[in-house]
Amino acid sequence: MEKLQHLISKLNEQCEQNESALQMLVTLKQIEAELTTSHTINITGKKNPAVSVVMPSMNISHRAVEEILQSIPEGHQAWMGGDPLIEVPTLSHQPNNREINDLIGNSGRSINDKLKPGSQSELGSVLKGSPVKELRKAIGVNDRFVFINELFRGDEPMYERSIKTINNFRILAEAQYWMERELKIKLGWDDSRDVVQHFYQLVRRRFS
């Protein structure tokens, strides 16, 4: 406790002699280190070997201290000249503090909302409009079965020839003209049927 009393007396002398804020701050840090050591001894009965406090040397001239202070920007000098015991506000004290959930959920939609069937249907719409390079590969197994039975009267070879012919056209207009003459009229396709519109949609994706 003698060392602590000595440091407190030293701090009082520095205040009376109007010494620089930096020198008083160093003394204050020494007092803090001494109090921490005393508190550790009171609790554990021994000094904490893991704690090591290294303080700067006091062998520094008043002129050197003034030069250091002058080199510090104005905003930082105000902090050095202030009370070092003033509590610095933490994140929870900031005026614009917001919850993390608020920042993540700023879109107004939760993950569950984004995974609802409505969102899945939006994804399906995008995929339906995406282009395809090979018409045969764009037609699924179920669609192939339905097309053969409902549009090509169960004639699988006719279906395969038609798909190959359509895929070899250069532009959509050529494919549409051929389908109108060779498929729609000859096979009696009804444009109001969903299966017919689905077939047309796949053809349009081939040339999109």
Side-chain angles (χ1 to χ4, degrees):
M1 295 300 291
E2 292 181 2
K3 184 177 180 180
L4 180 60
Q5 292 175 355
H6 170 72
L7 291 172
I8 294 175
S9 300
K10 182 178 180 180
L11 182 61
N12 290 330
E13 292 176 2
Q14 289 175 335
C15 290
E16 293 174 357
Q17 296 175 6
N18 198 24
E19 294 190 14
S20 67
L22 181 59
Q23 288 179 328
M24 288 189 287
L25 184 59
V26 171
T27 303
L28 185 62
K29 290 295 182 181
Q30 291 176 331
I31 294 174
E32 181 183 358
E34 187 66 23
L35 289 172
T36 302
T37 302
S38 299
H39 180 65
T40 302
I41 295 174
N42 290 336
I43 295 177
T44 63
K46 60 181 179 179
K47 293 185 178 180
N48 187 358
V51 177
S52 175
V53 180
V54 179
M55 300 308 299
S57 173
M58 292 298 295
N59 295 327
I60 181 171
S61 66
H62 182 73
R63 181 179 178 182
V65 173
E66 293 300 328
E67 291 178 355
I68 294 173
L69 290 176
Q70 290 176 3
S71 66
I72 300 175
E74 288 188 11
H76 293 79
Q77 287 181 5
W79 177 84
M80 290 294 293
D83 187 354
L85 295 179
I86 294 178
E87 181 180 2
V88 178
T90 62
L91 179 62
S92 61
H93 297 142
Q94 299 300 322
N96 294 326
N97 181 37
R98 297 178 60 190
E99 293 291 339
I100 295 178
N101 291 336
D102 294 339
L103 297 176
I104 296 176
N106 55 4
S107 63
R109 298 179 62 191
S110 65
I111 296 178
N112 290 333
D113 293 336
K114 295 178 182 179
L115 295 179
K116 285 182 178 179
S119 299
Q120 295 175 0
S121 62
E122 293 175 4
L123 177 60
S125 300
V126 173
L127 293 177
K128 286 182 180 179
S130 60
V132 295
K133 293 183 179 180
E134 180 67 37
L135 183 58
R136 180 179 284 103
K137 294 181 180 179
I139 300 175
V141 176
N142 293 336
D143 287 341
R144 180 178 182 276
F145 178 80
V146 172
F147 291 157
I148 291 174
N149 285 276
E150 297 192 21
L151 298 183
F152 292 88
R153 301 175 181 176
D155 191 338
E156 184 175 353
M158 180 190 296
Y159 165 81
E160 295 293 344
R161 289 195 304 270
S162 299
I163 294 298
K164 182 177 181 180
T165 300
I166 294 171
N167 196 73
N168 289 334
F169 284 119
R170 293 175 299 175
I171 59 175
L172 178 61
E174 292 177 346
Q176 289 177 329
Y177 177 78
W178 185 86
M179 288 190 299
E180 181 76 19
R181 185 185 62 186
E182 298 295 332
L183 298 179
K184 181 178 178 181
I185 295 177
K186 291 184 178 181
L187 298 176
W189 286 5
D190 184 359
D191 288 345
S192 63
R193 297 181 61 193
D194 291 340
V195 64
V196 175
Q197 291 300 321
H198 183 42
F199 186 84
Y200 286 161
Q201 183 184 37
L202 289 171
V203 174
R204 286 192 292 269
R205 287 176 58 189
R206 166 62 183 85
F207 297 96
S208 61

